Structure formats: structure tokens, C-alpha cells
């Protein structure tokens, strides 16, 4: 099990030392964009693991729309992180949204009501996390994945954006960050991808998972591009884009700059 | 140029005119618009606090950042907290724009404590009329008698998400024409809306400042390359300003901006940078530009008919008979041709070419196939 920070941690600024290191800093919004050829789910797993690591001692609110708990439990266990135990200790809040439906025909404004309900669940989890033993710990809200939420909302981009806005208000009020997984290639090319543009405006970090430009390789699974937008909050302004290759392994992910691995 | 924008926001409106309005426009290619907005907001707030401006107070309508963000931003810029409390009011459209939090609080029981909010919270941003009256109400808070106040909206894009374009256009024009509003500024993310929305908002503003990247990203650079370029384009770019005067005169200015630790700074573009951006753009294997010598050479080339401009009548043969010739009778053509021939013999040394058409039945530019009656 590898606890040393890798390139992704460095790019996201997770290399903080001491207590609190390992988690995203307050108010950060991370957007993970992936495509059919290359799944970006491993970035989510990595961030969940980092947030729950003993170094950071944070809590995670996981809004699952694509996979059940057992799926994440299995994967994270391989990575050396026991979600079931964290769940018992109220450090991992799993919001199961797999079978959720907002039937618009039966009730008017069903989508909005449904999203308000979901938000109230998040608020409750935040309340529990900030009142327990880890009252000063960082809270990461993870959405896996946003495109399904859009389907649930009957394709209403406005509702999804409203919901996201409320999630982002949490990040400015408390020590909270937001991680969103979304697919990039599901929007028609002719039409302006409005949701995607909105998300890029909202995000502080944009992580893009793509296949290699040169084609399929046996030991490189794809490339990650991380864009960090500068903010003046931390008294220094740095924005940069970095690009590296990755290989997803059973017990973690290996990241390296192109051409540096022999 | 940035200073003149600050000045015109500071000086405010003249009696009987609409107040000056600044649109700051950015796009995904260079989303430094927020920084530019904050720069002008800080400068306006400093002027208001120091009593230099026409406006005595500033109302910030906060959609995309929390009120505490603006307070800490202005304090970081060295403004006095007690002065800010007197001159600055923030309408919070950020914390609970749709009233969800209030709804959740009410449904979870009355004993729950209210969420920590700022003083002025708008819980229904879809109701533009209410929003307008809330802003005007806040504006009255500063004023004893009939003093002016300024309005800053961080981003109109968020408003457009919740309300229709006509209602927002009405909202802004109502604010601009209000007797007590001294100046306005707002931020717009241009690529989130249809071009017409952007155009409507640009029509209603006297100054449009657009933040553009140094190098435009073309469609060819897609995928991660695009993101890479995005990262490059953030720290500096072009700042394009369009001033509209009351008499309809339009002034255009180009500047460059850099984002540094201290904030955004504006500078006039140096010629070196222009050359860099020009040479950066087309990486072609051939040369599109001419050197000075090549340009001079080209101007010296004499084009075929150019010499005819020297006082002589210009004669360009267009396939038909020339004008002078058409005046003479067709039957006299043979005779005429003969005399031409004789003359040609006389002036052999001149070396002229004369063309006599075979028959007049034939159209000069006939498309007819001469061999179409051929039987093969």
C-alpha cells in the first residue's frame, strides 16, 4: 500500500503535512471529466481514500448514482481503506440514489422536491459529521456521477445546476469540498455543452481522463490532464496545467510523466 | 484604459441621463473575468469609501460568491471595516437563492436554529421584481435625502439561469434609469448563453470590457490540448474595451492583463508582445507576410493596362467591336479593313496587330459548338 503522495496529489495540493494533510482544502470544487474509452472513477476512489486516511481524518459524503455500496467497498478495500468500518463510525456517509426517481407526472415540481430532499440528506450528514468526534475534520462531498443525476432530473440542466450551487454554498460555509464525476462525450457536438461549460466555470480543478493519443498501450491506461485555476484566497496566485500518464492497478494507481518510466 | 473605466464608474451619471454601466465579459478560454470584476469592484468601493465618487454607497448583488468573500476581499485590499459597514451593503443571492434551506429548516421543525446567514438574503431569485425592489430598498439605506448609490452584480449569467432574458433586460434598464443609481457593473460569462443574450446586455451598457486569451483556441485543438491551452491562457490575456459615448461615438482600446500575486494588473501592449502573438499563431511552412523590400518591389510592377492612364483614351478590347468602329456602317467594313491594311503597310515599322472578324453572323463569344452538325 502506497501512502506517499503521487503526481495527482501534488497537482491537487494534497501534499499538506501533518493533521489535515491529504484532504482537499476548503471550498475546493473538483470536476473529473472522463469519456467512454477511459473511466475516471479511479480518481474518485483515490480522493475518497485520501480523505478517509488517518492523516487527514476527514469525512466523506458519497452520493452514489452509478454503483451500490458493495462495489465501492470492494474497490476501496483493495486500496487499503475499509469503508464499512468508516461507515459505522459515521465517517463515510453513503447516500444511495440508485433507484431514485422523480416522477413528474404524479406531482408538480417533483424534480425540485426530490433534489431538495437529497440536499436535506446531505445537510443532515454534514450536521452529524460536524457534531461528532471529528467535528473539526474536513468534509468531502462526492457525486458519482452527475450525468445520471441529470437523467433523474429529466434532463433539466437548470435543476442540476441549482442543486450543485447549493452543494457549493456548503463549501464556503464549512470546511467542505466537492468532487464531481461527469462524462464529457455524452453531449451533442453541435449544441453548446451548457452543463459542461457551467461546471468548468464552477470548478477549481478540472481533471480530464482520456485515452492515449497514440493508441492502446499494454502498460499505460490513459492520460490525466489536471488544470488548476488560481485563486487569491491563499495569498498566492498559481494556476497551472499538468499532464501525466497513468496505469490503474489492483491496489492503487501509478502516475508518471510521459516517458519517465522505463 | 482600466483607469478611465474606474474614473467613469466613479464620476457616475449626469442628471437626466442613464448611469454608466460596465459589462465585463469573459469566456471559458480566458475566465479571468472574475478577477477583472473584483478589480473594478475594489476600485469603486475604495472611491465610495473615500467619498471621492458620486455614489455614497455600493450595493453588491452576490450570486456566485458568498458575501463573506467580498468582505474579506475588500478588507484585504486595505479598506477599513467600519467604513465598509457604512458604505457597503451586500444582497445575498448566494446562500439560499431558491429558498431550499429555509424549506428544509421549516420541515425539520421550528425548534431548529436558523442557518447562519448574512443580513440581507434573497430567497427567491426567480422573482425579478422583488429583487429589484430589494436592491432599491438597500440603496435607500445609505441615503439621507437624494444621494446616489452604485450597483454591482456578480454574474448576470446566474440571473439568466433563473429568469428570462426580457425580465432581466427590464431589470437592468430599470436600475440604470433610476434617479439614484450612479453607476453599475456586472459580469457575464459569454459562452453560457446565446449570442443574443450577450448582445442585449452589451446594448444596455456604456462600456464593454471583454477578457480574451492571448492566443485563440481553434477547433482543431481539442481534448486535453484544449485544457492545456486553457491553463496557459489564464495568467495573462488581452483586455478589449469598447467605450460608447452619449453622442454615439465609439472608442476601442486594447490592453493586456497579467494576474500576479497582488491581483490583476493592466498594461498597454508592447510591440514585442504583438510580434510574439503574431508569430505564435500561424505555424505555416510558407510566408504570409511581405518584407519591406518585397512590398516596394511589388508597388513598382507595371500592370498590363496601367500605362493607358497617361492622358490617352483607354482602350480595352472586350471581344466586341470597339465603340468607334460600331459607329461606321457594317457594309463599309471591307472598305475600312482595306484602308486599315494599306495604312498598316505604310507604317510597317510600328508593328501593330489588327484583327478582322471573319463574319458578322457569328457572335463574338458564342458558346455554340461549331461541329455540332457534323455527321460521324
Amino acid at each position: 500500500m502506497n501512502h506517499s503522495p503521487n503526481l495527482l496529489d501534488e497537482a491537487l495540493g494534497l501534499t499538506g503535512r501533518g493533521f489535515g494533510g491529504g484532504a482537499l482544502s476548503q471550498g475546493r470544487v473538483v470536476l473529473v471529466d472522463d469519456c467512454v474509452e477511459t473511466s475516471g472513477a479511479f480518481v474518485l476512489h483515490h480522493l475518497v481514500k485520501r480523505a478517509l486516511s488517518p492523516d487527514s481524518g476527514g469525512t466523506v459524503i458519497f452520493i452514489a448514482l452509478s454503483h451500490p455500496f458493495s462495489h465501492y467497498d470492494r474497490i476501496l478495500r483493495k486500496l487499503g481503506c475499509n469503508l464499512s468500518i468508516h461507515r459505522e463510525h459515521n465517517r463515510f456517509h453513503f447516500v444511495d440514489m440508485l433507484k431514485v426517481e422523480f416522477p413528474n407526472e404524479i406531482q408538480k415540481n417533483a424534480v425540485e422536491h426530490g433534489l431538495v430532499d437529497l440536499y436535506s440528506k446531505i445537510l443532515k450528514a454534514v450536521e452529524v459529521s460536524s457534531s461528532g468526534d471529528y467535528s473539526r475534520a474536513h468534509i468531502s462531498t462526492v457525486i458519482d456521477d452527475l450525468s445520471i443525476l441529470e437523467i433523474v432530473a429529466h434532463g433539466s440542466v437548470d435543476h442540476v445546476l441549482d442543486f450543485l450551487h447549493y452543494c457549493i454554498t456548503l463549501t464556503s460555509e464549512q470546511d467542505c469540498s466537492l468532487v464531481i464525476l461527469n462524462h464529457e462525450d455524452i453531449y451533442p457536438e453541435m449544441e453548446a455543452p451548457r452543463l459542461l461549460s457551467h461546471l468548468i466555470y464552477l470548478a477549481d480543478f478540472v481533471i480530464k481522463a482520456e485515452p492515449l493519443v497514440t493508441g492502446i498501450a499494454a502498460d499505460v491506461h490513459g492520460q490525466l490532464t489536471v488544470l488548476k485555476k488560481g485563486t487569491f484566497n491563499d495569498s498566492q496566485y498559481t494556476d497551472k496545467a499538468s499532464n501525466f500518464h497513468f496505469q490503474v492497478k489492483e491496489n492503487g494507481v501509478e502516475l508518471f510523466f510521459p516517458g519517465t518510466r522505463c | 484604459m482600466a483607469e478611465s473605466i474606474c474614473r467613469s464608474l466613479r464620476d457616475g451619471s449626469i442628471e437626466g441621463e442613464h448611469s454608466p454601466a460596465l459589462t465585463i465579459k469573459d469566456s471559458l478560454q480566458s475566465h479571468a473575468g472574475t478577477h477583472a470584476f473584483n478589480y473594478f469592484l475594489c476600485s469603486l468601493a475604495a472611491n465610495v469609501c473615500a467619498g471621492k465618487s458620486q455614489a455614497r454607497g455600493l450595493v453588491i448583488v452576490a450570486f456566485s460568491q458568498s458575501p463573506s468573500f467580498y468582505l474579506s476581499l475588500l478588507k484585504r485590499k486595505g479598506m477599513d471595516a467600519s467604513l465598509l459597514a457604512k458604505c457597503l451593503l451586500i444582497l445575498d443571492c448566494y446562500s439560499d437563492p431558491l429558498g431550499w434551506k429555509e424549506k428544509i429548516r421549516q420541515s425539520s421543525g421550528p425548534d431548529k436554529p436558523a442557518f447562519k446567514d448574512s443580513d440581507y438574503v434573497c430567497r427567491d431569485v426567480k422573482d425579478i421584481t422583488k429583487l429589484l425592489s430589494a436592491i432599491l430598498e438597500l440603496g435607500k439605506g445609505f441615503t439621507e435625502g437624494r444621494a446616489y448609490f452604485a450597483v454591482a452584480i456578480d454574474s448576470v449569467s446566474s440571473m439568466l439561469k433563473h429568469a428570462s432574458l426580457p425580465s432581466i433586460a427590464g431589470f437592468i434598464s430599470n436600475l440604470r434609469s433610476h434617479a439614484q443609481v450612479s453607476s453599475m457593473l456586472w459580469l457575464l460569462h459569454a459562452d453560457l448563453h446565446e449570442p443574443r443574450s450577450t448582445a442585449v446586455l452589451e446594448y444596455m451598457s456604456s462600456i464593454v470590457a471583454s477578457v480574451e486569451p492571448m492566443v485563440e483556441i481553434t477547433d482543431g485543438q481539442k481534448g486535453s490540448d484544449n485544457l492545456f491551452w486553457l491553463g496557459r491562457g489564464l495568467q495573462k490575456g488581452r483586455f478589449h474595451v469598447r467605450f460608447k459615448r452619449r453622442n454615439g461615438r465609439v472608442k476601442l482600446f486594447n490592453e493586456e492583463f497579467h494576474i500576479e500575486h497582488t491581483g490583476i494588473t493592466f498594461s498597454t501592449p508592447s510591440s514585442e508582445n504583438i510580434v510574439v502573438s503574431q508569430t505564435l499563431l500561424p505555424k505555416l511552412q510558407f510566408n504570409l507576410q511581405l518584407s519591406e523590400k518585397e512590398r516596394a518591389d511589388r508597388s513598382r510592377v507595371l500592370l498590363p493596362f496601367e500605362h493607358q492612364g497617361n492622358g490617352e483614351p483607354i482602350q480595352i478590347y472586350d471581344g466586341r467591336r470597339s465603340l468607334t468602329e460600331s459607329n461606321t456602317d457594317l457594309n463599309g467594313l471591307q472598305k475600312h479593313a482595306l484602308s486599315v491594311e494599306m495604312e498598316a503597310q505604310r507604317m510597317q515599322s510600328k508593328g501593330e496587330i489588327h484583327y478582322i472578324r471573319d463574319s458578322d453572323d457569328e457572335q463574338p463569344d458564342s458558346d455554340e459548338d461549331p461541329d455540332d452538325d457534323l455527321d460521324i
Side-chain angles (χ1 to χ4, degrees):
Chain A
M1 198 170 46
N2 184 15
H3 267 303
S4 62
N6 59 20
L7 289 175
L8 181 60
D9 296 333
E10 273 171 31
L12 294 177
L14 306 185
T15 49
R17 288 147 292 278
F19 187 80
L24 289 162
S25 46
Q26 184 190 343
R28 288 301 160 94
V29 179
V30 180
L31 169 69
V32 184
D33 258 340
D34 68 356
C35 52
V36 176
E37 295 89 354
T38 311
S39 164
F42 73 91
V43 180
L44 243 57
H45 303 150
H46 182 78
L47 288 176
V48 168
K49 180 195 155 191
R50 279 279 182 252
L52 291 172
S53 74
D55 294 342
S56 67
T59 42
V60 172
I61 301 167
F62 200 99
I63 299 153
L65 290 135
S66 62
H67 295 289
F69 178 75
S70 51
H71 167 85
Y72 298 105
D73 193 25
R74 234 167 260 151
I75 292 170
L76 268 290
R77 202 169 290 212
K78 280 270 171 71
L79 300 180
C81 173
N82 194 330
L83 284 188
S84 309
I85 291 179
H86 286 310
R87 202 180 186 185
E88 279 168 28
H89 289 117
N90 269 338
R91 284 188 59 199
F92 184 77
H93 301 271
F94 191 82
V95 184
D96 190 340
M97 297 285 290
L98 288 177
K99 295 202 178 70
V100 77
E101 259 180 71
F102 306 142
N104 235 353
E105 300 81 34
I106 300 168
Q107 192 187 2
K108 215 182 141 201
N109 292 338
V111 174
E112 191 177 335
H113 286 300
L115 289 174
V116 173
D117 274 352
L118 175 58
Y119 187 65
S120 77
K121 278 180 196 164
I122 296 172
L123 276 186
K124 226 172 267 169
V126 168
E127 220 169 89
V128 170
S129 325
S130 49
S131 63
D133 300 338
Y134 299 96
S135 55
R136 298 189 60 194
H138 179 81
I139 303 166
S140 310
T141 312
V142 182
I143 303 177
D144 181 20
D145 65 60
L146 196 71
S147 57
I148 299 179
L149 194 66
E150 202 188 333
I151 297 166
V152 169
H154 302 289
S156 161
V157 175
D158 285 339
H159 280 118
V160 174
L161 286 172
D162 290 342
F163 173 72
L164 281 181
H165 177 85
Y166 272 95
C167 289
I168 288 168
T169 58
L170 271 183
T171 66
S172 65
E173 285 160 10
Q174 305 204 346
D175 186 9
C176 214
S177 62
L178 180 67
V179 181
I180 307 161
L181 176 70
N182 195 38
H183 305 309
E184 194 196 36
D185 46 2
I186 50 173
Y187 300 97
E189 273 196 15
M190 295 303 288
E191 200 179 293
R194 230 181 106 228
L195 181 65
L196 218 56
S197 309
H198 268 289
L199 289 175
I200 295 176
Y201 273 116
L202 292 173
D204 297 305
F205 291 101
V206 182
I207 304 177
K208 206 169 215 175
E210 284 172 311
L212 285 183
V213 187
T214 47
I216 300 166
D219 51 355
V220 182
H221 292 152
Q223 58 172 336
L224 277 188
T225 311
V226 182
L227 171 74
K228 179 185 186 291
K229 279 198 226 166
T231 49
F232 287 112
N233 283 348
D234 38 4
S235 75
Q236 55 175 359
Y237 188 89
T238 45
D239 55 15
K240 59 174 188 181
S242 40
N243 179 279
F244 32 79
H245 289 170
F246 65 85
Q247 184 183 12
V248 183
K249 294 177 172 172
E250 277 295 291
N251 60 352
V253 59
E254 196 184 330
L255 295 144
F256 46 91
F257 286 117
T260 53
R261 199 172 67 162
C262 34
Chain B
M1 206 21 56
E3 283 89 62
S4 63
I5 296 179
C6 294
R7 269 203 302 276
S8 83
L9 287 179
R10 183 195 67 192
D11 294 344
S13 61
I14 301 171
E15 190 79 39
E17 294 281 352
H18 286 242
S19 53
L22 165 68
T23 299
I24 297 166
K25 191 173 77 166
D26 72 348
S27 67
L28 272 183
Q29 292 194 7
S30 177
H31 36 211
T34 322
H35 299 309
F37 176 82
N38 291 344
Y39 174 86
F40 291 115
L41 181 71
C42 287
S43 115
L44 182 60
N47 281 329
V48 169
C49 283
K52 286 182 197 159
S53 66
Q54 185 193 36
R56 289 282 155 262
L58 172 64
V59 178
I60 300 178
V61 187
F63 271 94
S64 55
Q65 297 282 4
S66 65
S68 55
F69 168 84
Y70 286 110
L71 282 178
S72 65
L73 174 83
L74 292 171
K75 276 177 197 159
R76 214 166 47 229
K77 293 278 174 195
M79 264 164 259
D80 187 33
S82 60
L83 267 177
L84 277 181
K86 227 163 57 187
C87 301
L88 179 77
L89 286 173
I90 302 176
L91 180 67
D92 184 359
C93 298
Y94 169 82
S95 306
D96 196 6
L98 300 167
W100 287 12
K101 286 184 184 173
E102 188 66 16
K103 217 185 276 177
I104 292 169
R105 191 175 70 88
Q106 280 168 358
S107 65
S108 60
D111 53 319
K112 280 260 180 170
F115 289 106
K116 207 170 52 192
D117 275 329
S118 44
D119 301 338
Y120 308 101
V121 189
C122 178
R123 293 196 194 279
D124 186 11
V125 293
K126 287 186 178 170
D127 192 342
I128 294 292
T129 341
K130 225 188 257 175
L131 196 66
L132 178 67
S133 58
I135 292 170
L136 295 179
E137 200 63 37
L138 283 185
K140 270 181 202 153
F142 302 115
T143 55
E144 310 93 23
R146 289 189 62 221
Y148 288 96
F149 65 96
V151 182
I153 305 169
D154 84 335
S155 71
V156 178
S157 298
S158 311
M159 291 184 75
L160 278 168
K161 210 165 65 186
H162 296 297
S164 66
L165 181 62
S167 63
I168 285 166
F171 164 80
I172 285 177
S173 107
N174 271 337
L175 271 181
R176 265 196 85 188
S177 55
H178 194 269
Q180 273 171 293
V181 174
S182 150
S183 57
M184 285 184 75
L185 69 154
W186 59 79
L187 174 67
L188 179 75
H189 301 305
D191 45 8
L192 292 182
H193 315 289
E194 292 172 52
R196 73 184 186 113
S197 315
T198 316
V200 164
L201 290 163
E202 282 183 25
Y203 267 118
M204 287 194 298
S205 45
S206 51
I207 313 165
V208 179
S210 52
V211 176
E212 289 161 9
M214 271 302 189
V215 181
E216 295 277 342
I217 301 169
T218 53
D219 284 342
Q221 294 165 325
K222 277 199 169 160
S224 61
D225 278 354
N226 200 339
L227 209 63
F228 229 63
W229 278 102
L230 226 72
R232 295 280 153 82
L234 283 179
Q235 227 140 347
K236 59 181 186 176
R238 282 182 295 158
F239 190 68
H240 190 81
V241 184
R242 194 169 65 215
F243 262 99
K244 252 190 262 170
R245 305 277 289 271
R246 267 191 300 280
N247 59 7
R249 218 177 109 199
V250 175
K251 275 205 248 175
L252 292 174
F253 297 99
N254 259 317
E255 269 194 90
E256 274 173 23
F257 70 85
H258 294 261
I259 302 173
E260 292 157 5
H261 298 313
T262 47
I264 193 164
T265 53
F266 298 94
S267 59
T268 46
S270 54
S271 56
E272 191 186 325
N273 282 345
I274 294 173
V275 172
V276 166
S277 62
Q278 264 181 2
T279 49
L280 257 180
L281 251 173
K283 280 194 175 149
L284 302 171
Q285 287 178 332
F286 47 89
N287 197 6
L288 281 178
Q289 266 107 29
L290 293 177
S291 69
E292 273 308 310
K293 189 182 170 294
E294 283 167 333
R295 205 165 289 146
D297 285 347
R298 190 175 68 173
S299 66
R300 249 181 272 133
V301 173
L302 209 62
L303 293 174
F305 289 105
E306 233 170 349
H307 63 279
Q308 293 197 359
N310 314 330
E312 296 165 32
I314 298 173
Q315 293 175 342
I316 299 173
Y317 179 68
D318 60 349
R320 278 161 294 200
R321 285 195 295 166
S322 63
L323 277 172
T324 49
E325 208 174 324
S326 65
N327 289 339
T328 60
D329 193 4
L330 279 177
N331 297 336
L333 187 70
Q334 284 294 334
K335 203 164 66 183
H336 180 71
L338 209 72
S339 69
V340 164
E341 225 169 315
M342 276 161 66
E343 201 167 331
Q345 274 174 354
R346 204 152 41 84
M347 303 164 67
Q348 249 174 358
S349 57
K350 269 193 172 177
E352 286 180 10
I353 299 171
H354 291 274
Y355 169 73
I356 301 159
R357 207 179 289 130
D358 289 346
S359 85
D360 281 317
D361 313 337
E362 200 179 305
Q363 288 296 313
D365 293 322
S366 168
D367 284 336
E368 253 177 70
D369 185 6
D371 299 330
D372 62 353
D373 52 348
L374 222 61
D375 190 25
I376 302 170

